Amino acid sequence: MRLLSSRPVLFALQLLVAVAIIGIWHIGSTWKVPAGLISQKSFFLLDPFFFSTPVAVFERTWKDFATGVIWYHLGITLLETALAFAIGAAGGVVIGFWFARRRIVAAVFDPYVKMANALPRVVLAPIFALWLGLGIWSKVALGVSLVFFIVFFNVYQGVKEVSPTVLNNARMLGMSERQLLRHVYWPSALTWMFSSLHTSVGFALVGAVVGEYLGSAAGLGYRIHQAEGVFDVTGVFSGMLVLAVFVILIDAVVTVIENRLTVWRPTVPAGH
Amino acid sequence: MSGVGGLADATPVTGAPAAAELEGVRIAFPGSRPKDAPFVAVEGANLRVADGEFLAIVGPTGCGKSTLLNAAAGLLVPAAGNVRIFGAPLAGLNRQAGYLFQAEALFPWKTVLDNVSIGLEIAGVSAAEAKARSQDWLKRVGLGAFGERYPHMLSGGQRKRVGLAQVLIRDPKILLMDEPFGPLDAQTRQIMGNLLLDLWSLDRKAVMFVTHDLDEAIALADRVVIMSAGPASRIIGEWRVNLERPRDIAEVRLTPEFHALHREIWGALREEVVKGYRQTEGAA
Ligand SMILES: Nc1ncnc2c1ncn2[C@@H]1O[C@H](COP(=O)(O)OP(=O)(O)OP(=O)(O)O)[C@@H](O)[C@H]1O
Ligand SMILES: [Mg+2]
């Protein structure tokens, strides 16, 4: 068990999974099952018209980066994601704090918050496009509508669930209401918010890409939509590949930030 | 009474007002459901601790010891009776008191050093000075090398020592301690007890020390009071401990005076402890 969970071994195993999947994909989409073996005609297990081929997808992706066309779209998606996260998180923190500290406000708005959160955001996309045009802001709005609620609920919870003993201790140490906010409520709310950082950043990206997909002139979602429109399966897969790598990179950055900000939290000893 | 221990005088004959005085205090909690009658935890409790006096409060579990301390701290407002601090009626929080809580109360997101210095910083002491003084306090409680750690990286006993430094650095006139060594093993309790006595002997604050451990109470205190089993708990007995100071917690327990006093107080306490357990059983 010890050997298996060591870092290089784990990485090798992860790589093996990728190699296996791509290998199966490659063989299925390039090697024809000979006629008479299973059916009368020879055929591909994975028809390249529907599945493209790994080589074609990598080639296309490489070309997009080499010619530089993809950078612009990546930049747009990244900008929308960042804006959606920043605005959604800021709004969630402020409103979350406000609701948690003012019980009456929370009570009054409770059903409306629940209603708004229960609404599938995709139905909002056309409305945002109508209000804000087809530029980046309609995508940002969609991302915000997703991020806001995650951050809001977590901050609300974080402020509410401060240990009463810690709170009493802070009071007995002489903290004023403002100092309580800064030294107790705020750190507690941030913990909860950071515990959902991966989810909220992920949703900011989902909002951006779905928004682009549903109507825009730039971004990764737009690229995928374009390719789909002309049955360019290679283009679709290439777009998904870029998107997947992009998500992994953002997630890695989030992990680094998270580790920085939550040094004080007990870590579960890994593996053994 | 004669000898080392005995029923204390009802009214100490000092002119100065008590550091903290509870008089006819009644504390009630609302029932779990709105239509339930309120639960009276403490009723008619009279208690005073003189300036410089180390008072131990002993009682069966659930009798209302924490509740009483909370009243002295101003965290709970009595439904009836008076709380006076150095003669003045208590309104709001007790600003003269430092409180070492029964449960974990350190700020988990602050380092040990920041946990200790926070009390000074919010009082307007410059960050540099607050840090220096905190480091000094950490040394005094034997944690000089642990300042950069976070509370979760410490043992239970170490956390309690940080708590002690956190409270004492503000130099409160009254020290409220709620089973501060409760979850610790016997050896650590002795070490902590001696540490507490050492620190206390420097400037003799008024101390209200809650414990369910009668040995600990007698070994530490100038006076021991016991509470009846709840509900409507009150103070039912009071003994002065005339063992000489400075004391060593481990050694003082071996003296015949200690044994005599222990037997006497335990005689009164045992009945309440049994009652207390029976009540929790019945409620469960
Ligand atoms: N917030 C509350 N609401 C209702 N009842 C409470 C509340 N806090 C305490 N009580 C009740 O008041 C009584 C006294 O509680 P308290 O915490 O003071 O006991 P204690 O003597 O400190 O016990 P222990 O030794 O176990 O700490 C208990 O019966 C408890 O159930
Ligand atoms: Mg208690």
Side-chain angles (χ1 to χ4, degrees), chain B residues 60-67 69-70 99 102-103 178-179 210 212:
Chain B
T61 178
C63 71
K65 304 183 293 295
S66 301
T67 304
L69 276 202
N70 285 339
Y99 196 153
Q102 184 172 10
D178 194 354
E179 300 195 30
V210 162
H212 54 243

Coordinates of all heavy atoms in Angstrom, one line a residue, chain B residues 60-67 69-70 99 102-103 178-179 210 212, ligand 2:
Chain B
P60 N -21.7 18.2 41.6 CA -21.9 17.1 40.7 C -22.1 17.7 39.3 O -22.4 18.8 39.1 CB -23.2 16.5 41.2 CG -23.8 17.4 42.1 CD -22.7 18.3 42.7
T61 N -21.9 16.8 38.3 CA -22.0 17.3 36.9 C -23.4 17.8 36.6 O -24.4 17.2 37.1 CB -21.6 16.1 35.9 OG1 -21.8 16.6 34.6 CG2 -22.5 14.9 36.1
G62 N -23.5 18.9 35.9 CA -24.8 19.4 35.5 C -25.5 20.2 36.6 O -26.6 20.6 36.5
C63 N -24.8 20.5 37.7 CA -25.4 21.2 38.8 C -25.5 22.7 38.5 O -26.3 23.4 39.2 CB -24.7 20.9 40.1 SG -23.1 21.7 40.2
G64 N -24.7 23.2 37.7 CA -24.8 24.7 37.4 C -23.5 25.4 37.7 O -23.6 26.6 37.9
K65 N -22.4 24.7 37.7 CA -21.1 25.4 38.0 C -20.8 26.4 36.9 O -20.5 27.6 37.1 CB -20.0 24.4 38.2 CG -20.3 23.4 39.3 CD -19.2 22.4 39.5 CE -18.9 21.5 38.3 NZ -20.0 20.5 38.0
S66 N -20.8 25.9 35.6 CA -20.5 26.8 34.5 C -21.5 28.0 34.5 O -21.1 29.1 34.2 CB -20.6 26.0 33.2 OG -19.7 25.0 33.2
T67 N -22.8 27.7 34.7 CA -23.8 28.7 34.7 C -23.5 29.8 35.7 O -23.6 31.0 35.4 CB -25.1 28.0 35.1 OG1 -25.4 27.0 34.2 CG2 -26.3 29.0 35.0
L69 N -20.5 30.6 36.9 CA -19.4 31.4 36.4 C -19.8 32.4 35.3 O -19.4 33.5 35.2 CB -18.3 30.5 35.8 CG -17.3 29.9 36.7 CD1 -16.0 29.5 36.0 CD2 -16.9 30.8 37.9
N70 N -20.7 31.9 34.4 CA -21.2 32.7 33.3 C -21.9 34.0 33.9 O -21.8 35.0 33.3 CB -22.1 32.0 32.4 CG -21.3 31.0 31.5 OD1 -20.2 31.2 31.2 ND2 -22.0 30.0 31.0
Y99 N -11.6 34.9 31.7 CA -12.4 33.6 31.8 C -11.7 32.5 31.0 O -11.4 32.7 29.8 CB -13.7 33.9 31.2 CG -14.8 32.9 31.5 CD1 -16.2 33.3 31.5 CD2 -14.5 31.6 31.8 CE1 -17.2 32.4 31.8 CE2 -15.5 30.7 32.0 CZ -16.9 31.1 32.1 OH -17.9 30.2 32.3
Q102 N -14.4 26.1 29.8 CA -14.4 24.7 29.9 C -14.1 24.0 28.5 O -13.3 23.1 28.4 CB -15.7 24.1 30.5 CG -15.8 22.7 30.7 CD -17.1 22.3 31.4 OE1 -18.0 23.0 31.6 NE2 -17.1 21.0 31.9
A103 N -14.8 24.6 27.5 CA -14.6 24.0 26.2 C -13.4 24.7 25.4 O -12.9 25.7 25.9 CB -15.9 24.2 25.4
D178 N -13.1 27.5 34.5 CA -14.1 26.4 34.4 C -13.5 25.1 34.1 O -13.2 24.8 32.9 CB -15.2 26.8 33.4 CG -16.4 26.0 33.6 OD1 -16.4 25.0 34.4 OD2 -17.4 26.2 32.9
E179 N -13.3 24.3 35.1 CA -12.6 23.0 34.9 C -11.5 23.0 33.9 O -11.5 22.3 32.9 CB -13.7 21.9 34.4 CG -14.8 21.8 35.4 CD -15.6 20.5 35.2 OE1 -15.1 19.5 34.7 OE2 -16.8 20.5 35.5
V210 N -13.7 26.4 39.1 CA -14.7 25.3 39.1 C -14.1 24.0 38.8 O -13.2 23.9 37.9 CB -15.8 25.6 38.0 CG1 -16.6 24.3 37.7 CG2 -16.7 26.7 38.5
H212 N -14.8 19.4 39.3 CA -15.6 18.3 39.9 C -14.7 17.4 40.7 O -15.1 16.4 41.3 CB -16.4 17.5 38.8 CG -15.5 17.0 37.7 ND1 -15.6 17.4 36.4 CD2 -14.4 16.2 37.8 CE1 -14.7 16.8 35.7 NE2 -14.0 16.0 36.5
Ligands
MG2 MG -19.5 23.1 33.3

